[in-house]
Amino acid sequence: MRIFTETHFYIPQNRFSCMKAEEAKKRISELTKQLNQHNYDYYVRSAPVISDYEFDMLMEELIRLEHEYPEYARANSPSKRIGGDLTKEFPTVAHTVPMLSLANTYSEEEIAAFDQRVKKSLGDTVEYVCELKYDGVAISIRYENGEFIRAVTRGDGTKGDDVSANVRTIRSVPLQLHGEFPPVFEIRGEIFLPHAGFKKINIKREAEGDDLFANPRNAASGSLKMQDSKEVARRPLDCIFYNLQGDDLPHNNHYDNLMEAKNWGFKISDYIIRANSIEDIFAFISEMAAERSQLSFDIDGVVIKVNDYTKQEKLGSTAKSPRWAIAYKFMAEQAVTRLLSVTYQVGRTGAVTPVANLDPVLLAGTTVKRASLHNADIIEKLGIREGDMVVVEKGGDIIPKITGVKEELRGKDSKKIQFISHCPECGAVLRKNEGEAIHYCPDEDHCPPQIKGRIEHFISRRAMDIDSLGEGKIEILYDHGLINNAADLYKLKYEDLLGLKKVYEAGEGKKERKVSFREKSSKNIIAGIKASLEIPFERVLFALGIRHVGETVARILARHFGSIDALAKADKESLVSIHEIGERIAESVVKFFNDQNKLELVSKLKEAGVQMEIREEESPAGNILDGKSFVISGTFEDYPRDELKDMIGHYGGKFTSSLSSKTDYLLAGDKAGPAKLENAGKYNIPVIDLDTFLDMIK
């Protein structure tokens, strides 16, 4: 494995002073081409043609020349693989096409039902593609004219973090493509740590006295957010690609485009098939389940996708997931251990969750000491008692939970579990709503975990994104009486923070942790609070923590009503009439705005200057395009495609990635895709140029 560090290379002065500039430029170009090819041979084809030493010598020569002639160094030079860029912040970038999550199932019956739904909409002849569901970090990478431009994490699905400097260090991610490729496109894949690399990292961390990574996924995720790309380059991250997005892709189906991407230099999995029947799908699932333990990387299931893009477009998507794809997840690993005791946690919504304290047991590569028991009904259904030997598994290989009891191993000293009647934090009598399984603490205005939990949600990255604040510091501010709700954050001053601290004692398997407000962090917090005043209304609405109102629903409500005042006046009927808003959400919204304490919080946030309405630059410019559907193909002078897509949405139109009979216009520029033009003629879709489009929105 070629993992470079800065110690491999030195740069002697004037080494190439005798070389002419044009010769240096030519040599840099030659070395770049050679090293890119050798990287491809080694990391993608697994067929190196030169030794590591020869590769290092070529790299050393390139680095020296780039140092001597920096004007010829390229942004995507192979030398970037070594890292060196420092990233203090990871800017948020909107996805051109949302990165939706997939609907999951553990049942073959549900896969069969999915197949029936698809065929009911499309007819009996449907071709699927089956591929692996990788257990890593999703990434979307943009290429323009064959050059790596930007890498963005999934984030919330509509926007993610720009981690380009770190992703450039991953050897299986091409920086320069070869062959015939579209001028602009995005490709999505999964960044992961192979088992051997994960083991190597943990051996090194243990030797240095650092905490070990729990699993390869956590290690990969943490690596992508490191500030020093040199450190990322030392970690043997890998990437497999599985989806293309673009207006001028060579084929109108998923499988053939992936095979083309392999020719451009991308690492595409060998574990991928086309399936023409439900039997083919089940055979692939069975094969991969059997081979799972033999793979050199982690997977947690199989993904099934409709192959044809036009059919994908016809099936469409829900707010959260596409209707043309589904993920079959493998059953989780299990272990048997003893239940020692049950304690109770209170969440920000007041939900009380029983937690099982266990004899430590190794499960899916991590030591499990606690597991969720969910609610009183689950405890009753399992018939579980303290002292029982229980079956523990990781739901989706992530969250430990108890799924069974070994009653034949039950001892005489086992004790029946009595669910608590009062809140363990504030003493309030618990409530259980009719038709619900969860017990709640009703005293949300005085129960500490609920108060702190709501504030922690308010400041979270996907909500108000207040820099340098976190769970530990919120607790300190609350304990010192400085905050009791989110609006109190906007009253904080630098001198209130400086010097506050708390020491969390070392627990079982955990080191002592110190949390303090130092000069720099205190200034950052005050600056972050001030910056949050510019957070748009839809995220503010999500930050308020209205029950059942997640990011997608908050966005829908914000854009429909335009302001908090208009939303506060809405009744259940008007809310339910909105697409994607059901009765449960409507009732929760109405209840929130009928609560005097919630109205006072909103009023205080308004006074602080928090955005409580959609600003003019964020609101749609009207309905000039009146819901018309557009596909874009080709390039446009002075107008990047992303800008044109924003303009379409801004004026009430809809952008789609592929043509269908429902498309209203094909906006064609220079080098428009022949397949797009041919399909436009097939469906009698008007083909318009940029001037015509601009005239439409005048």
Side-chain angles (χ1 to χ4, degrees), residues 541 546-550 553-554 557 561 564 566-572 575 581-595 598-599:
L541 187 56
I546 304 173
R547 196 172 177 207
H548 306 311
V549 175
V553 171
L557 292 174
F561 290 99
I564 197 81
L567 177 59
K569 294 174 184 176
D571 57 20
K572 179 180 174 181
L575 286 162
I581 305 300
E583 288 196 6
R584 187 174 67 164
I585 295 172
E587 289 170 356
S588 183
V589 171
V590 170
K591 181 181 177 182
F592 182 91
F593 288 106
N594 282 337
D595 186 321
K598 301 296 190 300
L599 292 176

PDB file of all heavy atoms in Angstrom, residues 541 546-550 553-554 557 561 564 566-572 575 581-595 598-599:
ATOM      1  N   LEU A 541     -37.063  27.234  11.679  1.00  0.00           N
ATOM      2  CA  LEU A 541     -38.275  26.478  11.982  1.00  0.00           C
ATOM      3  C   LEU A 541     -37.919  25.054  12.433  1.00  0.00           C
ATOM      4  O   LEU A 541     -38.495  24.531  13.383  1.00  0.00           O
ATOM      5  CB  LEU A 541     -39.180  26.444  10.750  1.00  0.00           C
ATOM      6  CG  LEU A 541     -40.574  25.845  10.923  1.00  0.00           C
ATOM      7  CD1 LEU A 541     -41.336  26.554  12.033  1.00  0.00           C
ATOM      8  CD2 LEU A 541     -41.340  25.921   9.610  1.00  0.00           C
ATOM      9  N   ILE A 546     -40.200  21.575  16.886  1.00  0.00           N
ATOM     10  CA  ILE A 546     -41.610  21.176  16.914  1.00  0.00           C
ATOM     11  C   ILE A 546     -41.672  19.674  16.654  1.00  0.00           C
ATOM     12  O   ILE A 546     -41.078  19.174  15.707  1.00  0.00           O
ATOM     13  CB  ILE A 546     -42.416  21.945  15.849  1.00  0.00           C
ATOM     14  CG1 ILE A 546     -42.263  23.450  16.056  1.00  0.00           C
ATOM     15  CG2 ILE A 546     -43.887  21.539  15.887  1.00  0.00           C
ATOM     16  CD1 ILE A 546     -42.871  24.284  14.956  1.00  0.00           C
ATOM     17  N   ARG A 547     -42.396  18.984  17.477  1.00  0.00           N
ATOM     18  CA  ARG A 547     -42.445  17.526  17.362  1.00  0.00           C
ATOM     19  C   ARG A 547     -42.952  17.110  15.979  1.00  0.00           C
ATOM     20  O   ARG A 547     -43.915  17.674  15.457  1.00  0.00           O
ATOM     21  CB  ARG A 547     -43.358  16.943  18.449  1.00  0.00           C
ATOM     22  CG  ARG A 547     -43.146  15.460  18.642  1.00  0.00           C
ATOM     23  CD  ARG A 547     -43.919  14.961  19.835  1.00  0.00           C
ATOM     24  NE  ARG A 547     -43.759  13.518  19.965  1.00  0.00           N
ATOM     25  CZ  ARG A 547     -44.643  12.725  20.529  1.00  0.00           C
ATOM     26  NH1 ARG A 547     -45.753  13.225  21.016  1.00  0.00           N
ATOM     27  NH2 ARG A 547     -44.429  11.426  20.619  1.00  0.00           N
ATOM     28  N   HIS A 548     -42.289  16.152  15.375  1.00  0.00           N
ATOM     29  CA  HIS A 548     -42.597  15.580  14.065  1.00  0.00           C
ATOM     30  C   HIS A 548     -42.228  16.508  12.903  1.00  0.00           C
ATOM     31  O   HIS A 548     -42.477  16.154  11.745  1.00  0.00           O
ATOM     32  CB  HIS A 548     -44.082  15.198  13.932  1.00  0.00           C
ATOM     33  CG  HIS A 548     -44.580  14.286  15.007  1.00  0.00           C
ATOM     34  ND1 HIS A 548     -43.907  13.141  15.374  1.00  0.00           N
ATOM     35  CD2 HIS A 548     -45.677  14.368  15.816  1.00  0.00           C
ATOM     36  CE1 HIS A 548     -44.574  12.540  16.354  1.00  0.00           C
ATOM     37  NE2 HIS A 548     -45.630  13.261  16.644  1.00  0.00           N
ATOM     38  N   VAL A 549     -41.642  17.666  13.187  1.00  0.00           N
ATOM     39  CA  VAL A 549     -41.248  18.588  12.110  1.00  0.00           C
ATOM     40  C   VAL A 549     -39.739  18.471  11.903  1.00  0.00           C
ATOM     41  O   VAL A 549     -38.939  19.107  12.600  1.00  0.00           O
ATOM     42  CB  VAL A 549     -41.652  20.049  12.425  1.00  0.00           C
ATOM     43  CG1 VAL A 549     -41.131  21.000  11.346  1.00  0.00           C
ATOM     44  CG2 VAL A 549     -43.169  20.158  12.526  1.00  0.00           C
ATOM     45  N   GLY A 550     -39.370  17.618  10.949  1.00  0.00           N
ATOM     46  CA  GLY A 550     -37.962  17.470  10.592  1.00  0.00           C
ATOM     47  C   GLY A 550     -37.558  18.497   9.557  1.00  0.00           C
ATOM     48  O   GLY A 550     -38.309  19.440   9.254  1.00  0.00           O
ATOM     49  N   VAL A 553     -39.984  18.663   6.368  1.00  0.00           N
ATOM     50  CA  VAL A 553     -41.279  19.273   6.687  1.00  0.00           C
ATOM     51  C   VAL A 553     -41.111  20.760   6.990  1.00  0.00           C
ATOM     52  O   VAL A 553     -41.936  21.584   6.575  1.00  0.00           O
ATOM     53  CB  VAL A 553     -41.936  18.540   7.878  1.00  0.00           C
ATOM     54  CG1 VAL A 553     -43.173  19.295   8.368  1.00  0.00           C
ATOM     55  CG2 VAL A 553     -42.317  17.130   7.479  1.00  0.00           C
ATOM     56  N   ALA A 554     -40.052  21.125   7.707  1.00  0.00           N
ATOM     57  CA  ALA A 554     -39.801  22.536   8.004  1.00  0.00           C
ATOM     58  C   ALA A 554     -39.637  23.341   6.718  1.00  0.00           C
ATOM     59  O   ALA A 554     -40.137  24.469   6.604  1.00  0.00           O
ATOM     60  CB  ALA A 554     -38.550  22.675   8.885  1.00  0.00           C
ATOM     61  N   LEU A 557     -43.131  23.760   5.105  1.00  0.00           N
ATOM     62  CA  LEU A 557     -43.955  24.721   5.828  1.00  0.00           C
ATOM     63  C   LEU A 557     -43.449  26.151   5.643  1.00  0.00           C
ATOM     64  O   LEU A 557     -44.241  27.083   5.461  1.00  0.00           O
ATOM     65  CB  LEU A 557     -43.988  24.369   7.321  1.00  0.00           C
ATOM     66  CG  LEU A 557     -44.720  23.073   7.694  1.00  0.00           C
ATOM     67  CD1 LEU A 557     -44.539  22.776   9.177  1.00  0.00           C
ATOM     68  CD2 LEU A 557     -46.193  23.164   7.338  1.00  0.00           C
ATOM     69  N   PHE A 561     -45.917  28.960   3.941  1.00  0.00           N
ATOM     70  CA  PHE A 561     -46.481  30.067   4.713  1.00  0.00           C
ATOM     71  C   PHE A 561     -45.633  31.339   4.643  1.00  0.00           C
ATOM     72  O   PHE A 561     -46.175  32.434   4.807  1.00  0.00           O
ATOM     73  CB  PHE A 561     -46.673  29.645   6.172  1.00  0.00           C
ATOM     74  CG  PHE A 561     -47.781  28.647   6.355  1.00  0.00           C
ATOM     75  CD1 PHE A 561     -47.508  27.293   6.474  1.00  0.00           C
ATOM     76  CD2 PHE A 561     -49.102  29.056   6.384  1.00  0.00           C
ATOM     77  CE1 PHE A 561     -48.529  26.367   6.637  1.00  0.00           C
ATOM     78  CE2 PHE A 561     -50.136  28.141   6.543  1.00  0.00           C
ATOM     79  CZ  PHE A 561     -49.851  26.792   6.662  1.00  0.00           C
ATOM     80  N   ILE A 564     -43.253  32.960  10.267  1.00  0.00           N
ATOM     81  CA  ILE A 564     -43.685  32.288  11.487  1.00  0.00           C
ATOM     82  C   ILE A 564     -45.069  32.764  11.894  1.00  0.00           C
ATOM     83  O   ILE A 564     -45.878  32.003  12.428  1.00  0.00           O
ATOM     84  CB  ILE A 564     -42.656  32.521  12.625  1.00  0.00           C
ATOM     85  CG1 ILE A 564     -42.857  31.490  13.758  1.00  0.00           C
ATOM     86  CG2 ILE A 564     -42.743  33.931  13.179  1.00  0.00           C
ATOM     87  CD1 ILE A 564     -42.248  30.167  13.487  1.00  0.00           C
ATOM     88  N   ALA A 566     -47.593  33.722   9.925  1.00  0.00           N
ATOM     89  CA  ALA A 566     -48.609  33.066   9.096  1.00  0.00           C
ATOM     90  C   ALA A 566     -48.781  31.613   9.517  1.00  0.00           C
ATOM     91  O   ALA A 566     -49.911  31.101   9.573  1.00  0.00           O
ATOM     92  CB  ALA A 566     -48.224  33.160   7.628  1.00  0.00           C
ATOM     93  N   LEU A 567     -47.673  30.934   9.831  1.00  0.00           N
ATOM     94  CA  LEU A 567     -47.745  29.538  10.261  1.00  0.00           C
ATOM     95  C   LEU A 567     -48.471  29.428  11.598  1.00  0.00           C
ATOM     96  O   LEU A 567     -49.269  28.509  11.807  1.00  0.00           O
ATOM     97  CB  LEU A 567     -46.337  28.949  10.368  1.00  0.00           C
ATOM     98  CG  LEU A 567     -46.231  27.507  10.867  1.00  0.00           C
ATOM     99  CD1 LEU A 567     -46.998  26.550   9.965  1.00  0.00           C
ATOM    100  CD2 LEU A 567     -44.764  27.076  10.952  1.00  0.00           C
ATOM    101  N   ALA A 568     -48.213  30.358  12.503  1.00  0.00           N
ATOM    102  CA  ALA A 568     -48.830  30.313  13.831  1.00  0.00           C
ATOM    103  C   ALA A 568     -50.348  30.435  13.762  1.00  0.00           C
ATOM    104  O   ALA A 568     -51.067  29.939  14.638  1.00  0.00           O
ATOM    105  CB  ALA A 568     -48.250  31.413  14.712  1.00  0.00           C
ATOM    106  N   LYS A 569     -50.848  31.069  12.718  1.00  0.00           N
ATOM    107  CA  LYS A 569     -52.294  31.266  12.574  1.00  0.00           C
ATOM    108  C   LYS A 569     -52.976  30.090  11.869  1.00  0.00           C
ATOM    109  O   LYS A 569     -54.211  30.025  11.818  1.00  0.00           O
ATOM    110  CB  LYS A 569     -52.564  32.547  11.781  1.00  0.00           C
ATOM    111  CG  LYS A 569     -52.121  33.815  12.501  1.00  0.00           C
ATOM    112  CD  LYS A 569     -52.289  35.030  11.593  1.00  0.00           C
ATOM    113  CE  LYS A 569     -51.756  36.292  12.275  1.00  0.00           C
ATOM    114  NZ  LYS A 569     -51.820  37.459  11.354  1.00  0.00           N
ATOM    115  N   ALA A 570     -52.203  29.175  11.328  1.00  0.00           N
ATOM    116  CA  ALA A 570     -52.773  28.080  10.542  1.00  0.00           C
ATOM    117  C   ALA A 570     -53.517  27.093  11.434  1.00  0.00           C
ATOM    118  O   ALA A 570     -53.084  26.777  12.543  1.00  0.00           O
ATOM    119  CB  ALA A 570     -51.666  27.363   9.782  1.00  0.00           C
ATOM    120  N   ASP A 571     -54.650  26.601  10.932  1.00  0.00           N
ATOM    121  CA  ASP A 571     -55.379  25.569  11.663  1.00  0.00           C
ATOM    122  C   ASP A 571     -55.060  24.201  11.063  1.00  0.00           C
ATOM    123  O   ASP A 571     -54.359  24.081  10.056  1.00  0.00           O
ATOM    124  CB  ASP A 571     -56.887  25.833  11.649  1.00  0.00           C
ATOM    125  CG  ASP A 571     -57.449  25.934  10.236  1.00  0.00           C
ATOM    126  OD1 ASP A 571     -56.800  25.440   9.284  1.00  0.00           O
ATOM    127  OD2 ASP A 571     -58.534  26.524  10.072  1.00  0.00           O
ATOM    128  N   LYS A 572     -55.589  23.172  11.691  1.00  0.00           N
ATOM    129  CA  LYS A 572     -55.277  21.805  11.283  1.00  0.00           C
ATOM    130  C   LYS A 572     -55.685  21.546   9.838  1.00  0.00           C
ATOM    131  O   LYS A 572     -54.942  20.923   9.065  1.00  0.00           O
ATOM    132  CB  LYS A 572     -55.968  20.821  12.215  1.00  0.00           C
ATOM    133  CG  LYS A 572     -55.722  19.359  11.864  1.00  0.00           C
ATOM    134  CD  LYS A 572     -56.440  18.429  12.835  1.00  0.00           C
ATOM    135  CE  LYS A 572     -56.323  16.981  12.394  1.00  0.00           C
ATOM    136  NZ  LYS A 572     -57.036  16.061  13.310  1.00  0.00           N
ATOM    137  N   LEU A 575     -53.327  23.040   7.301  1.00  0.00           N
ATOM    138  CA  LEU A 575     -52.036  22.345   7.303  1.00  0.00           C
ATOM    139  C   LEU A 575     -52.136  21.009   6.571  1.00  0.00           C
ATOM    140  O   LEU A 575     -51.272  20.659   5.763  1.00  0.00           O
ATOM    141  CB  LEU A 575     -51.566  22.122   8.738  1.00  0.00           C
ATOM    142  CG  LEU A 575     -51.047  23.367   9.477  1.00  0.00           C
ATOM    143  CD1 LEU A 575     -51.039  23.133  10.973  1.00  0.00           C
ATOM    144  CD2 LEU A 575     -49.656  23.739   8.985  1.00  0.00           C
ATOM    145  N   ILE A 581     -47.963  16.902   4.346  1.00  0.00           N
ATOM    146  CA  ILE A 581     -48.290  17.196   5.742  1.00  0.00           C
ATOM    147  C   ILE A 581     -49.495  16.365   6.164  1.00  0.00           C
ATOM    148  O   ILE A 581     -50.601  16.543   5.648  1.00  0.00           O
ATOM    149  CB  ILE A 581     -48.590  18.698   5.955  1.00  0.00           C
ATOM    150  CG1 ILE A 581     -47.428  19.560   5.444  1.00  0.00           C
ATOM    151  CG2 ILE A 581     -48.868  18.981   7.431  1.00  0.00           C
ATOM    152  CD1 ILE A 581     -46.106  19.311   6.117  1.00  0.00           C
ATOM    153  N   GLY A 582     -49.282  15.458   7.121  1.00  0.00           N
ATOM    154  CA  GLY A 582     -50.364  14.602   7.597  1.00  0.00           C
ATOM    155  C   GLY A 582     -50.972  15.134   8.882  1.00  0.00           C
ATOM    156  O   GLY A 582     -50.560  16.171   9.423  1.00  0.00           O
ATOM    157  N   GLU A 583     -51.946  14.405   9.405  1.00  0.00           N
ATOM    158  CA  GLU A 583     -52.671  14.850  10.596  1.00  0.00           C
ATOM    159  C   GLU A 583     -51.768  14.943  11.824  1.00  0.00           C
ATOM    160  O   GLU A 583     -51.887  15.868  12.625  1.00  0.00           O
ATOM    161  CB  GLU A 583     -53.838  13.892  10.883  1.00  0.00           C
ATOM    162  CG  GLU A 583     -54.989  14.023   9.897  1.00  0.00           C
ATOM    163  CD  GLU A 583     -56.254  13.368  10.423  1.00  0.00           C
ATOM    164  OE1 GLU A 583     -56.253  12.927  11.600  1.00  0.00           O
ATOM    165  OE2 GLU A 583     -57.234  13.316   9.667  1.00  0.00           O
ATOM    166  N   ARG A 584     -50.860  13.975  11.974  1.00  0.00           N
ATOM    167  CA  ARG A 584     -50.002  13.987  13.157  1.00  0.00           C
ATOM    168  C   ARG A 584     -49.125  15.236  13.186  1.00  0.00           C
ATOM    169  O   ARG A 584     -48.974  15.888  14.228  1.00  0.00           O
ATOM    170  CB  ARG A 584     -49.131  12.723  13.176  1.00  0.00           C
ATOM    171  CG  ARG A 584     -48.321  12.569  14.444  1.00  0.00           C
ATOM    172  CD  ARG A 584     -47.583  11.246  14.484  1.00  0.00           C
ATOM    173  NE  ARG A 584     -46.550  11.175  13.468  1.00  0.00           N
ATOM    174  CZ  ARG A 584     -45.563  10.265  13.474  1.00  0.00           C
ATOM    175  NH1 ARG A 584     -45.516   9.357  14.428  1.00  0.00           N
ATOM    176  NH2 ARG A 584     -44.667  10.247  12.524  1.00  0.00           N
ATOM    177  N   ILE A 585     -48.549  15.586  12.025  1.00  0.00           N
ATOM    178  CA  ILE A 585     -47.715  16.788  11.944  1.00  0.00           C
ATOM    179  C   ILE A 585     -48.567  18.023  12.194  1.00  0.00           C
ATOM    180  O   ILE A 585     -48.183  18.934  12.945  1.00  0.00           O
ATOM    181  CB  ILE A 585     -47.020  16.879  10.573  1.00  0.00           C
ATOM    182  CG1 ILE A 585     -46.034  15.722  10.390  1.00  0.00           C
ATOM    183  CG2 ILE A 585     -46.301  18.213  10.414  1.00  0.00           C
ATOM    184  CD1 ILE A 585     -45.451  15.621   8.995  1.00  0.00           C
ATOM    185  N   ALA A 586     -49.753  18.084  11.569  1.00  0.00           N
ATOM    186  CA  ALA A 586     -50.629  19.246  11.706  1.00  0.00           C
ATOM    187  C   ALA A 586     -51.014  19.466  13.171  1.00  0.00           C
ATOM    188  O   ALA A 586     -50.980  20.604  13.679  1.00  0.00           O
ATOM    189  CB  ALA A 586     -51.871  19.060  10.843  1.00  0.00           C
ATOM    190  N   GLU A 587     -51.380  18.395  13.846  1.00  0.00           N
ATOM    191  CA  GLU A 587     -51.763  18.513  15.254  1.00  0.00           C
ATOM    192  C   GLU A 587     -50.600  19.011  16.103  1.00  0.00           C
ATOM    193  O   GLU A 587     -50.783  19.821  17.025  1.00  0.00           O
ATOM    194  CB  GLU A 587     -52.247  17.158  15.766  1.00  0.00           C
ATOM    195  CG  GLU A 587     -53.600  16.742  15.205  1.00  0.00           C
ATOM    196  CD  GLU A 587     -53.954  15.302  15.539  1.00  0.00           C
ATOM    197  OE1 GLU A 587     -53.098  14.612  16.149  1.00  0.00           O
ATOM    198  OE2 GLU A 587     -55.060  14.856  15.183  1.00  0.00           O
ATOM    199  N   SER A 588     -49.395  18.540  15.808  1.00  0.00           N
ATOM    200  CA  SER A 588     -48.219  18.949  16.569  1.00  0.00           C
ATOM    201  C   SER A 588     -47.910  20.430  16.363  1.00  0.00           C
ATOM    202  O   SER A 588     -47.569  21.143  17.314  1.00  0.00           O
ATOM    203  CB  SER A 588     -47.016  18.094  16.151  1.00  0.00           C
ATOM    204  OG  SER A 588     -45.886  18.424  16.906  1.00  0.00           O
ATOM    205  N   VAL A 589     -48.046  20.900  15.123  1.00  0.00           N
ATOM    206  CA  VAL A 589     -47.787  22.319  14.832  1.00  0.00           C
ATOM    207  C   VAL A 589     -48.806  23.202  15.548  1.00  0.00           C
ATOM    208  O   VAL A 589     -48.456  24.216  16.171  1.00  0.00           O
ATOM    209  CB  VAL A 589     -47.814  22.574  13.309  1.00  0.00           C
ATOM    210  CG1 VAL A 589     -47.777  24.071  13.013  1.00  0.00           C
ATOM    211  CG2 VAL A 589     -46.646  21.873  12.626  1.00  0.00           C
ATOM    212  N   VAL A 590     -50.081  22.835  15.464  1.00  0.00           N
ATOM    213  CA  VAL A 590     -51.135  23.618  16.126  1.00  0.00           C
ATOM    214  C   VAL A 590     -50.908  23.642  17.638  1.00  0.00           C
ATOM    215  O   VAL A 590     -51.025  24.695  18.290  1.00  0.00           O
ATOM    216  CB  VAL A 590     -52.530  23.031  15.798  1.00  0.00           C
ATOM    217  CG1 VAL A 590     -53.599  23.686  16.666  1.00  0.00           C
ATOM    218  CG2 VAL A 590     -52.853  23.239  14.328  1.00  0.00           C
ATOM    219  N   LYS A 591     -50.558  22.494  18.214  1.00  0.00           N
ATOM    220  CA  LYS A 591     -50.301  22.427  19.649  1.00  0.00           C
ATOM    221  C   LYS A 591     -49.137  23.337  20.041  1.00  0.00           C
ATOM    222  O   LYS A 591     -49.185  24.025  21.073  1.00  0.00           O
ATOM    223  CB  LYS A 591     -49.990  20.980  20.039  1.00  0.00           C
ATOM    224  CG  LYS A 591     -49.722  20.793  21.531  1.00  0.00           C
ATOM    225  CD  LYS A 591     -49.389  19.336  21.859  1.00  0.00           C
ATOM    226  CE  LYS A 591     -49.059  19.181  23.340  1.00  0.00           C
ATOM    227  NZ  LYS A 591     -48.682  17.779  23.676  1.00  0.00           N
ATOM    228  N   PHE A 592     -48.093  23.361  19.239  1.00  0.00           N
ATOM    229  CA  PHE A 592     -46.919  24.190  19.531  1.00  0.00           C
ATOM    230  C   PHE A 592     -47.315  25.660  19.633  1.00  0.00           C
ATOM    231  O   PHE A 592     -46.938  26.360  20.575  1.00  0.00           O
ATOM    232  CB  PHE A 592     -45.861  23.992  18.441  1.00  0.00           C
ATOM    233  CG  PHE A 592     -44.582  24.763  18.663  1.00  0.00           C
ATOM    234  CD1 PHE A 592     -43.527  24.200  19.358  1.00  0.00           C
ATOM    235  CD2 PHE A 592     -44.429  26.059  18.170  1.00  0.00           C
ATOM    236  CE1 PHE A 592     -42.345  24.904  19.564  1.00  0.00           C
ATOM    237  CE2 PHE A 592     -43.258  26.769  18.363  1.00  0.00           C
ATOM    238  CZ  PHE A 592     -42.212  26.194  19.065  1.00  0.00           C
ATOM    239  N   PHE A 593     -48.089  26.132  18.664  1.00  0.00           N
ATOM    240  CA  PHE A 593     -48.421  27.559  18.633  1.00  0.00           C
ATOM    241  C   PHE A 593     -49.605  27.923  19.528  1.00  0.00           C
ATOM    242  O   PHE A 593     -49.963  29.103  19.635  1.00  0.00           O
ATOM    243  CB  PHE A 593     -48.670  28.006  17.189  1.00  0.00           C
ATOM    244  CG  PHE A 593     -47.410  28.072  16.372  1.00  0.00           C
ATOM    245  CD1 PHE A 593     -47.137  27.102  15.413  1.00  0.00           C
ATOM    246  CD2 PHE A 593     -46.474  29.068  16.585  1.00  0.00           C
ATOM    247  CE1 PHE A 593     -45.961  27.142  14.671  1.00  0.00           C
ATOM    248  CE2 PHE A 593     -45.299  29.112  15.855  1.00  0.00           C
ATOM    249  CZ  PHE A 593     -45.041  28.151  14.891  1.00  0.00           C
ATOM    250  N   ASN A 594     -50.195  26.932  20.189  1.00  0.00           N
ATOM    251  CA  ASN A 594     -51.208  27.205  21.209  1.00  0.00           C
ATOM    252  C   ASN A 594     -50.613  27.234  22.611  1.00  0.00           C
ATOM    253  O   ASN A 594     -51.325  27.469  23.581  1.00  0.00           O
ATOM    254  CB  ASN A 594     -52.319  26.150  21.150  1.00  0.00           C
ATOM    255  CG  ASN A 594     -53.291  26.416  20.014  1.00  0.00           C
ATOM    256  OD1 ASN A 594     -53.423  27.542  19.544  1.00  0.00           O
ATOM    257  ND2 ASN A 594     -53.967  25.369  19.558  1.00  0.00           N
ATOM    258  N   ASP A 595     -49.313  26.982  22.683  1.00  0.00           N
ATOM    259  CA  ASP A 595     -48.605  26.964  23.969  1.00  0.00           C
ATOM    260  C   ASP A 595     -48.015  28.354  24.225  1.00  0.00           C
ATOM    261  O   ASP A 595     -47.182  28.836  23.446  1.00  0.00           O
ATOM    262  CB  ASP A 595     -47.499  25.902  23.919  1.00  0.00           C
ATOM    263  CG  ASP A 595     -46.799  25.713  25.252  1.00  0.00           C
ATOM    264  OD1 ASP A 595     -46.573  26.714  25.958  1.00  0.00           O
ATOM    265  OD2 ASP A 595     -46.448  24.561  25.575  1.00  0.00           O
ATOM    266  N   LYS A 598     -44.238  28.631  24.261  1.00  0.00           N
ATOM    267  CA  LYS A 598     -43.620  28.545  22.931  1.00  0.00           C
ATOM    268  C   LYS A 598     -43.745  29.876  22.200  1.00  0.00           C
ATOM    269  O   LYS A 598     -42.818  30.324  21.506  1.00  0.00           O
ATOM    270  CB  LYS A 598     -44.273  27.429  22.112  1.00  0.00           C
ATOM    271  CG  LYS A 598     -44.175  26.049  22.741  1.00  0.00           C
ATOM    272  CD  LYS A 598     -42.736  25.592  22.839  1.00  0.00           C
ATOM    273  CE  LYS A 598     -42.628  24.127  23.237  1.00  0.00           C
ATOM    274  NZ  LYS A 598     -43.218  23.817  24.533  1.00  0.00           N
ATOM    275  N   LEU A 599     -44.902  30.526  22.355  1.00  0.00           N
ATOM    276  CA  LEU A 599     -45.098  31.826  21.713  1.00  0.00           C
ATOM    277  C   LEU A 599     -44.139  32.875  22.294  1.00  0.00           C
ATOM    278  O   LEU A 599     -43.615  33.728  21.568  1.00  0.00           O
ATOM    279  CB  LEU A 599     -46.540  32.284  21.879  1.00  0.00           C
ATOM    280  CG  LEU A 599     -47.591  31.458  21.120  1.00  0.00           C
ATOM    281  CD1 LEU A 599     -48.990  31.958  21.449  1.00  0.00           C
ATOM    282  CD2 LEU A 599     -47.350  31.511  19.614  1.00  0.00           C
TER     283      LEU A 599
END
